[in-house]
Amino acid sequence: MEGDSSRVREKEVDDAEGIKDGNENSNNKKKQKQRQKKKKKRRSSSLVRFGCLRMESDENGGVDMEVEFPGDRNDPTHLVIMVNGIIGSAQNWRYAAKQFLKKYPEDVIVHCSERNSSMLTFDGVDVMGDRLAEEVKHVRSRHPSVKKISFVGHSLGGLVARYAIARLYEQDLTRELSQTNGDCGTDHLGDSCPENKFKGKIAGLEPINFITFASPHLGSRWHKQIPLLCGSHALERVAARTSWFLGRTGKHLFLTDGKEGKPPLLLQMVRDCEDLKFMSALQSFRRRVLYANASFDRILLLYIVGWSTSSLRRRNELPKIKHLPRGDKYPHVVNVETAKTATLDEVPSEAKVNGQEKINMEEEMIRSLTKVSWERVDVYFKGSRQRLLAHVTIQVKNYWVNSDGADVVQHMIDNFLL
């Protein structure tokens, strides 16, 4: 009897443990199903939130990128034009374009320009600018919902964008001057009402952001950009004569294209001409931003774009690199200057020779371009393995090779004005 009762108890225990195991298995299965449901829910909610990334190429190779939401018609209102540099293509801005759409999926459509790619970048700033202007008109016609426009240019692309916006500039006569008796006085640089002139539109759209990355706004003729020449102006002039290998673009960058009494193109681009309103077009944007490499902007021994020319500063105005702090969120962004216009009424001492004012082309370009306000963002890749590729790392041309510039791109996006 005792043996039988012990066997019964053992059987009861076994049954109880079996039931317990069965309950645990069923509970585990329930938990697993719940986890799967949550995953699906998260996945579906993210799809609803971010939609699907749609990329469309036009007949010229340009790429439109936008987010499409299932079941809804997406009508983005802000067109962002991204312009590549020399020997570049639409692929160069793919990473930045995707980050834009992650941040602003409902508001933005990004167009990566391809009208000036590869060897076409040797045709000259003016020819490239005309092609970009026509491309923007075409893109605008395909997206009737857009009401605002911004430009982001890398290297030579910044100059091309400046030329294109002058082509696309339209004076908006519906806006009136300040109502203070119709007279707003004269600014310290001699221009009447620089910030209160008739506001214009670009391709019929409201201009918002004009942003450049490592762009040679003052050309490549100065700034000691070739270390082997030891900063010798005589040797740099000799080097300028070899600019022919970059075609018409090289002549424009080295300011050797002035003929028949006409100034070089880059010098023309710092003032309003009869048919091209270069400064009015720039001024029409609500903000203008310069991202500049403080150092390492070079390939091998050749500097591509000097800190001075990409940040529109004189060399004695550049911050001291060793005093530039680093932040945690944007470790390679070491200095940010808020928008401000020039306040100097006299020519700096470095532009004076023997007590006589001798304004060279570089000084004239700086004085003219800084009549409008600019935000300046200085970038420094010290300590990065990619520092020798700083010229393309600043835009993340290829994420696998230039990933250290991701924080710089994110800084641009986080501060972008919609």
Coordinates of all heavy atoms in Angstrom, one line a residue, residues 319-386:
P319 N 39.6 82.2 -37.0 CA 39.8 81.8 -35.6 C 41.0 81.0 -35.4 O 41.5 80.4 -36.4 CB 38.5 81.0 -35.2 CG 37.5 81.3 -36.3 CD 38.3 81.6 -37.5
K320 N 41.6 80.9 -34.2 CA 42.7 80.1 -33.9 C 42.2 78.7 -33.7 O 41.4 78.4 -32.8 CB 43.4 80.6 -32.6 CG 43.9 82.0 -32.7 CD 45.0 82.2 -33.8 CE 45.5 83.6 -33.8 NZ 46.5 83.8 -34.9
I321 N 42.8 77.8 -34.5 CA 42.3 76.4 -34.5 C 42.4 75.7 -33.1 O 41.5 75.0 -32.6 CB 43.0 75.5 -35.5 CG1 42.7 76.0 -36.9 CG2 42.7 74.0 -35.4 CD1 43.4 75.2 -38.0
K322 N 43.5 76.0 -32.4 CA 43.8 75.3 -31.1 C 42.8 75.7 -30.1 O 42.6 75.1 -29.0 CB 45.2 75.5 -30.7 CG 45.5 77.0 -30.4 CD 47.0 77.1 -29.9 CE 47.4 78.5 -29.7 NZ 48.8 78.7 -29.2
H323 N 42.1 76.9 -30.3 CA 41.1 77.4 -29.3 C 39.7 77.0 -29.6 O 38.8 77.4 -28.9 CB 41.2 78.9 -29.2 CG 42.5 79.4 -28.7 ND1 43.1 80.6 -29.1 CD2 43.4 78.9 -27.8 CE1 44.3 80.7 -28.5 NE2 44.5 79.7 -27.7
L324 N 39.5 76.2 -30.7 CA 38.2 75.8 -31.1 C 37.7 74.6 -30.3 O 38.4 73.5 -30.4 CB 38.1 75.5 -32.6 CG 38.5 76.7 -33.5 CD1 38.4 76.3 -35.0 CD2 37.6 77.9 -33.3
P325 N 36.6 74.7 -29.6 CA 36.1 73.5 -28.8 C 35.4 72.5 -29.6 O 35.0 72.8 -30.8 CB 35.2 74.2 -27.8 CG 34.6 75.4 -28.6 CD 35.7 75.9 -29.5
R326 N 35.2 71.3 -29.1 CA 34.5 70.3 -29.8 C 33.2 69.9 -28.9 O 33.3 69.8 -27.7 CB 35.3 69.0 -30.0 CG 36.4 69.2 -31.0 CD 37.4 68.0 -31.0 NE 38.4 68.1 -31.9 CZ 38.4 67.6 -33.2 NH1 37.3 66.9 -33.6 NH2 39.4 67.7 -34.0
G327 N 32.1 69.7 -29.6 CA 30.9 69.3 -28.9 C 30.7 67.8 -29.0 O 31.4 67.1 -29.8
D328 N 29.8 67.2 -28.2 CA 29.5 65.8 -28.2 C 28.6 65.4 -29.4 O 28.8 64.4 -30.0 CB 28.9 65.4 -26.9 CG 29.8 65.5 -25.7 OD1 31.0 65.4 -26.0 OD2 29.3 65.8 -24.6
K329 N 27.6 66.2 -29.7 CA 26.7 65.9 -30.7 C 27.3 66.0 -32.1 O 27.0 65.2 -33.0 CB 25.4 66.8 -30.6 CG 24.3 66.3 -31.5 CD 23.0 67.1 -31.3 CE 21.9 66.7 -32.2 NZ 20.6 67.4 -31.9
Y330 N 28.0 67.1 -32.3 CA 28.7 67.4 -33.6 C 30.2 67.5 -33.4 O 30.7 68.6 -33.4 CB 28.1 68.6 -34.3 CG 26.6 68.8 -34.3 CD1 26.0 69.7 -33.4 CD2 25.8 67.9 -35.1 CE1 24.6 69.8 -33.4 CE2 24.5 68.1 -35.1 CZ 23.9 69.0 -34.2 OH 22.5 69.1 -34.2
P331 N 30.9 66.4 -33.2 CA 32.3 66.5 -32.8 C 33.2 67.2 -33.8 O 34.3 67.6 -33.4 CB 32.7 65.0 -32.6 CG 31.7 64.2 -33.4 CD 30.4 65.0 -33.3
H332 N 32.9 67.2 -35.0 CA 33.7 67.8 -36.0 C 33.3 69.3 -36.4 O 34.0 69.9 -37.2 CB 33.8 67.0 -37.3 CG 34.3 65.6 -37.1 ND1 33.5 64.5 -37.1 CD2 35.6 65.2 -36.7 CE1 34.3 63.4 -36.8 NE2 35.5 63.8 -36.6
V333 N 32.3 69.7 -35.8 CA 31.9 71.2 -35.9 C 32.5 71.9 -34.7 O 32.1 71.7 -33.6 CB 30.3 71.3 -35.9 CG1 30.0 72.8 -35.9 CG2 29.7 70.6 -37.1
V334 N 33.5 72.7 -35.0 CA 34.3 73.3 -33.9 C 34.0 74.8 -33.7 O 34.4 75.4 -32.7 CB 35.8 73.1 -34.2 CG1 36.2 71.6 -34.1 CG2 36.2 73.7 -35.5
N335 N 33.2 75.4 -34.6 CA 32.9 76.8 -34.4 C 31.7 77.2 -35.2 O 31.6 76.8 -36.4 CB 34.2 77.7 -34.9 CG 33.9 79.2 -34.6 OD1 33.6 79.6 -33.5 ND2 34.2 80.0 -35.6
V336 N 30.8 77.9 -34.6 CA 29.6 78.4 -35.3 C 29.5 79.9 -35.1 O 29.4 80.4 -34.0 CB 28.4 77.7 -34.9 CG1 27.1 78.2 -35.6 CG2 28.5 76.2 -35.1
E337 N 29.4 80.7 -36.2 CA 29.2 82.1 -36.1 C 27.8 82.4 -36.6 O 27.5 82.0 -37.7 CB 30.3 82.9 -36.9 CG 31.6 82.9 -36.3 CD 32.6 83.8 -37.1 OE1 32.1 84.5 -38.0 OE2 33.8 83.8 -36.8
T338 N 27.1 83.2 -35.8 CA 25.7 83.5 -36.3 C 25.8 84.6 -37.4 O 26.9 85.2 -37.6 CB 24.9 84.1 -35.1 OG1 25.7 85.2 -34.6 CG2 24.7 83.1 -34.0
A339 N 24.7 84.7 -38.1 CA 24.7 85.6 -39.3 C 25.1 87.0 -38.9 O 24.5 87.6 -38.0 CB 23.3 85.5 -40.0
K340 N 26.0 87.6 -39.7 CA 26.3 89.0 -39.5 C 26.9 89.6 -40.8 O 27.4 88.8 -41.7 CB 27.3 89.2 -38.4 CG 28.6 88.5 -38.6 CD 29.6 88.7 -37.4 CE 30.9 88.0 -37.6 NZ 31.8 88.1 -36.5
T341 N 26.7 90.9 -41.0 CA 27.2 91.5 -42.2 C 28.5 92.3 -41.9 O 28.8 92.5 -40.7 CB 26.2 92.5 -42.8 OG1 25.8 93.4 -41.7 CG2 25.0 91.8 -43.3
A342 N 29.2 92.7 -42.9 CA 30.5 93.4 -42.7 C 30.2 94.7 -42.0 O 29.2 95.4 -42.3 CB 31.2 93.6 -44.0
T343 N 31.1 95.2 -41.2 CA 31.0 96.4 -40.5 C 32.2 97.3 -40.7 O 32.3 98.4 -40.2 CB 30.8 96.2 -39.0 OG1 31.9 95.5 -38.5 CG2 29.6 95.5 -38.7
L344 N 33.2 96.9 -41.5 CA 34.4 97.6 -41.8 C 34.1 98.7 -42.8 O 33.7 98.4 -43.9 CB 35.5 96.7 -42.2 CG 36.0 95.7 -41.2 CD1 37.1 94.9 -41.8 CD2 36.6 96.5 -40.0
D345 N 34.4 100.0 -42.5 CA 34.2 101.0 -43.4 C 35.5 101.3 -44.2 O 35.5 102.0 -45.2 CB 33.8 102.3 -42.7 CG 32.5 102.2 -42.1 OD1 31.6 101.6 -42.7 OD2 32.2 102.7 -40.9
E346 N 36.6 100.8 -43.7 CA 37.9 101.1 -44.4 C 38.5 99.8 -44.8 O 38.2 98.7 -44.4 CB 38.8 101.9 -43.5 CG 39.2 101.1 -42.2 CD 40.2 101.9 -41.4 OE1 40.9 102.7 -41.9 OE2 40.3 101.6 -40.2
V347 N 39.4 99.9 -45.8 CA 40.1 98.8 -46.3 C 41.1 98.3 -45.2 O 41.8 99.1 -44.6 CB 40.9 99.2 -47.6 CG1 41.6 97.9 -48.1 CG2 40.0 99.8 -48.6
P348 N 41.1 97.0 -45.0 CA 42.1 96.4 -44.0 C 43.5 96.7 -44.3 O 43.8 96.9 -45.5 CB 41.8 94.9 -44.0 CG 40.5 94.8 -44.6 CD 40.3 95.9 -45.5
S349 N 44.4 96.8 -43.3 CA 45.8 97.1 -43.5 C 46.5 96.2 -44.5 O 47.4 96.7 -45.2 CB 46.5 97.1 -42.2 OG 46.4 95.8 -41.6
E350 N 46.1 94.9 -44.6 CA 46.8 94.0 -45.5 C 46.5 94.4 -47.0 O 47.1 93.9 -47.9 CB 46.4 92.6 -45.2 CG 45.0 92.2 -45.5 CD 44.7 90.8 -45.3 OE1 45.6 90.0 -45.3 OE2 43.5 90.4 -45.1
A351 N 45.5 95.2 -47.2 CA 45.1 95.6 -48.6 C 45.7 96.9 -49.0 O 45.5 97.4 -50.0 CB 43.6 95.6 -48.8
K352 N 46.5 97.5 -48.1 CA 47.2 98.8 -48.3 C 48.6 98.6 -48.7 O 49.3 97.8 -48.0 CB 47.0 99.7 -47.1 CG 45.6 100.1 -46.8 CD 45.5 101.1 -45.7 CE 44.1 101.5 -45.4 NZ 44.0 102.4 -44.2
V353 N 49.1 99.3 -49.6 CA 50.5 99.3 -50.0 C 51.0 100.7 -50.1 O 50.5 101.5 -50.8 CB 50.6 98.6 -51.4 CG1 52.1 98.6 -51.9 CG2 50.0 97.2 -51.4
N354 N 52.1 100.9 -49.3 CA 52.8 102.2 -49.2 C 51.8 103.4 -48.9 O 51.8 104.5 -49.5 CB 53.5 102.6 -50.5 CG 54.6 101.6 -50.8 OD1 55.2 101.1 -49.9 ND2 54.8 101.2 -52.1
G355 N 50.8 103.1 -48.0 CA 49.9 104.1 -47.6 C 48.8 104.3 -48.6 O 47.9 105.1 -48.4
Q356 N 48.9 103.7 -49.8 CA 47.9 103.9 -50.9 C 46.9 102.7 -50.8 O 47.3 101.6 -50.6 CB 48.5 103.9 -52.2 CG 49.5 105.1 -52.4 CD 48.8 106.4 -52.4 OE1 47.7 106.5 -53.0 NE2 49.5 107.4 -51.9
E357 N 45.6 103.0 -51.0 CA 44.6 101.9 -51.0 C 44.7 101.2 -52.3 O 44.5 101.8 -53.4 CB 43.2 102.5 -50.8 CG 42.9 102.9 -49.4 CD 41.5 103.2 -49.1 OE1 40.7 103.1 -50.1 OE2 41.1 103.6 -48.0
K358 N 45.0 100.0 -52.2 CA 45.1 99.1 -53.5 C 44.2 97.9 -53.2 O 44.7 96.9 -52.6 CB 46.5 98.7 -53.7 CG 46.7 97.9 -55.0 CD 48.1 97.5 -55.2 CE 48.3 96.7 -56.5 NZ 49.7 96.3 -56.7
I359 N 43.0 98.0 -53.7 CA 42.1 96.9 -53.4 C 42.2 95.8 -54.5 O 42.0 96.1 -55.7 CB 40.6 97.4 -53.4 CG1 40.5 98.5 -52.3 CG2 39.6 96.3 -53.1 CD1 39.1 99.1 -52.3
N360 N 42.7 94.6 -54.2 CA 42.8 93.6 -55.2 C 41.5 92.9 -55.4 O 40.5 93.2 -54.7 CB 43.9 92.6 -54.8 CG 43.7 92.0 -53.4 OD1 42.5 91.8 -53.0 ND2 44.7 91.6 -52.8
M361 N 41.5 92.0 -56.3 CA 40.2 91.3 -56.6 C 39.7 90.5 -55.4 O 38.5 90.5 -55.2 CB 40.4 90.4 -57.8 CG 40.6 91.1 -59.1 SD 40.7 90.1 -60.6 CE 42.3 89.4 -60.4
E362 N 40.6 89.9 -54.7 CA 40.1 89.1 -53.5 C 39.4 90.0 -52.5 O 38.3 89.6 -52.0 CB 41.3 88.4 -52.9 CG 41.0 87.6 -51.7 CD 42.2 87.1 -51.0 OE1 43.4 87.5 -51.2 OE2 42.1 86.1 -50.2
E363 N 40.0 91.1 -52.2 CA 39.4 92.0 -51.3 C 38.1 92.5 -51.7 O 37.1 92.7 -51.0 CB 40.4 93.2 -51.0 CG 39.8 94.2 -50.0 CD 39.5 93.7 -48.7 OE1 40.1 92.7 -48.2 OE2 38.6 94.2 -48.0
E364 N 38.0 92.8 -53.0 CA 36.7 93.4 -53.5 C 35.6 92.3 -53.5 O 34.5 92.6 -53.1 CB 36.9 93.8 -55.0 CG 35.7 94.5 -55.6 CD 35.9 95.1 -56.9 OE1 37.1 95.2 -57.3 OE2 34.9 95.4 -57.6
M365 N 36.0 91.0 -53.7 CA 35.0 90.0 -53.6 C 34.5 89.8 -52.2 O 33.3 89.6 -51.9 CB 35.6 88.7 -54.2 CG 35.7 88.7 -55.7 SD 36.1 87.0 -56.3 CE 37.8 86.9 -55.9
I366 N 35.5 89.8 -51.2 CA 35.1 89.7 -49.8 C 34.1 90.8 -49.4 O 33.1 90.6 -48.8 CB 36.3 89.7 -48.9 CG1 37.1 88.3 -49.1 CG2 35.9 89.8 -47.4 CD1 38.3 88.2 -48.2
R367 N 34.5 92.1 -49.7 CA 33.7 93.2 -49.3 C 32.3 93.2 -49.9 O 31.3 93.5 -49.2 CB 34.4 94.5 -49.7 CG 35.6 94.9 -48.9 CD 36.4 96.0 -49.4 NE 35.6 97.3 -49.5 CZ 35.5 98.1 -48.5 NH1 36.1 97.8 -47.3 NH2 34.8 99.2 -48.6
S368 N 32.2 92.7 -51.1 CA 30.9 92.7 -51.8 C 30.0 91.6 -51.3 O 28.9 91.7 -51.0 CB 31.1 92.6 -53.3 OG 31.7 93.7 -53.8
L369 N 30.6 90.4 -51.1 CA 29.9 89.2 -50.7 C 29.4 89.3 -49.3 O 28.4 88.7 -48.9 CB 30.7 87.9 -50.9 CG 30.8 87.5 -52.4 CD1 31.8 86.3 -52.5 CD2 29.5 87.1 -53.0
T370 N 30.2 90.0 -48.4 CA 29.8 90.1 -47.0 C 28.9 91.3 -46.7 O 28.6 91.6 -45.6 CB 31.1 90.2 -46.1 OG1 31.9 91.3 -46.6 CG2 31.8 88.9 -46.2
K371 N 28.4 91.9 -47.8 CA 27.3 93.0 -47.6 C 26.0 92.3 -47.2 O 25.1 92.9 -46.7 CB 27.2 93.8 -48.9 CG 28.3 94.8 -49.1 CD 28.1 95.6 -50.4 CE 29.2 96.5 -50.7 NZ 29.0 97.2 -52.0
V372 N 25.9 91.0 -47.5 CA 24.8 90.2 -47.0 C 25.3 89.4 -45.9 O 26.4 89.1 -45.8 CB 24.1 89.4 -48.1 CG1 23.6 90.2 -49.2 CG2 25.2 88.4 -48.7
S373 N 24.4 89.0 -45.0 CA 24.8 88.2 -43.8 C 25.0 86.8 -44.1 O 24.3 86.2 -45.0 CB 23.7 88.4 -42.7 OG 22.4 87.9 -43.2
W374 N 26.0 86.2 -43.4 CA 26.3 84.8 -43.6 C 26.5 84.1 -42.2 O 27.0 84.7 -41.3 CB 27.6 84.6 -44.3 CG 27.6 85.0 -45.8 CD1 27.9 86.3 -46.2 CD2 27.3 84.2 -46.9 NE1 27.8 86.3 -47.6 CE2 27.4 85.0 -48.0 CE3 26.9 82.9 -47.1 CZ2 27.2 84.6 -49.3 CZ3 26.7 82.4 -48.4 CH2 26.8 83.2 -49.5
E375 N 26.0 82.9 -42.1 CA 26.3 82.1 -40.9 C 27.6 81.3 -41.3 O 27.6 80.8 -42.5 CB 25.2 81.1 -40.6 CG 23.9 81.8 -40.2 CD 22.8 80.8 -40.0 OE1 23.0 79.6 -39.6 OE2 21.6 81.1 -40.4
R376 N 28.5 81.1 -40.4 CA 29.7 80.4 -40.7 C 29.9 79.2 -39.8 O 29.8 79.3 -38.6 CB 30.9 81.3 -40.6 CG 31.0 82.4 -41.7 CD 32.1 83.3 -41.5 NE 32.3 84.3 -42.5 CZ 31.6 85.5 -42.6 NH1 30.8 85.8 -41.6 NH2 31.8 86.3 -43.6
V377 N 30.1 78.0 -40.4 CA 30.3 76.8 -39.6 C 31.7 76.2 -39.9 O 31.9 75.8 -41.1 CB 29.2 75.8 -39.9 CG1 29.4 74.5 -39.0 CG2 27.8 76.4 -39.6
D378 N 32.6 76.2 -39.0 CA 34.0 75.7 -39.2 C 34.0 74.2 -38.8 O 33.6 73.9 -37.7 CB 35.0 76.5 -38.4 CG 35.0 78.0 -38.9 OD1 35.1 78.2 -40.1 OD2 34.9 78.9 -38.0
V379 N 34.7 73.4 -39.7 CA 34.7 72.0 -39.5 C 36.2 71.6 -39.4 O 37.0 72.1 -40.2 CB 34.0 71.3 -40.7 CG1 34.2 69.8 -40.5 CG2 32.6 71.7 -40.8
Y380 N 36.5 70.7 -38.5 CA 37.9 70.3 -38.2 C 38.0 68.8 -38.0 O 37.4 68.3 -37.1 CB 38.4 71.0 -37.0 CG 39.9 71.0 -36.9 CD1 40.8 70.9 -37.9 CD2 40.5 71.0 -35.6 CE1 42.2 70.9 -37.8 CE2 41.9 71.0 -35.4 CZ 42.7 71.0 -36.5 OH 44.1 71.0 -36.3
F381 N 38.6 68.1 -38.9 CA 38.7 66.6 -38.8 C 40.0 66.1 -38.2 O 40.5 65.0 -38.5 CB 38.5 66.0 -40.2 CG 37.1 66.1 -40.8 CD1 36.9 67.0 -41.8 CD2 36.1 65.3 -40.2 CE1 35.6 67.1 -42.3 CE2 34.8 65.4 -40.7 CZ 34.5 66.3 -41.8
K382 N 40.6 66.9 -37.3 CA 41.8 66.5 -36.6 C 41.5 65.2 -35.8 O 40.5 65.1 -35.1 CB 42.3 67.5 -35.6 CG 43.6 67.2 -34.9 CD 44.0 68.3 -34.0 CE 45.3 67.9 -33.3 NZ 45.8 68.9 -32.3
G383 N 42.4 64.2 -35.9 CA 42.2 62.9 -35.2 C 41.4 61.9 -36.0 O 41.4 60.8 -35.6
S384 N 40.8 62.3 -37.1 CA 40.1 61.4 -37.9 C 41.0 60.7 -38.9 O 41.9 61.4 -39.5 CB 39.0 62.2 -38.6 OG 38.4 61.4 -39.7
R385 N 40.8 59.5 -39.2 CA 41.5 58.8 -40.2 C 41.2 59.3 -41.6 O 41.9 59.0 -42.5 CB 41.3 57.3 -40.1 CG 41.8 56.6 -38.8 CD 41.5 55.1 -38.9 NE 42.1 54.5 -37.7 CZ 42.0 53.2 -37.4 NH1 41.4 52.4 -38.3 NH2 42.5 52.7 -36.3
Q386 N 40.0 59.9 -41.7 CA 39.5 60.4 -43.0 C 39.9 61.9 -43.2 O 39.4 62.5 -44.1 CB 38.0 60.3 -43.0 CG 37.6 58.8 -42.9 CD 36.1 58.7 -42.7 OE1 35.3 59.7 -42.8 NE2 35.6 57.5 -42.3

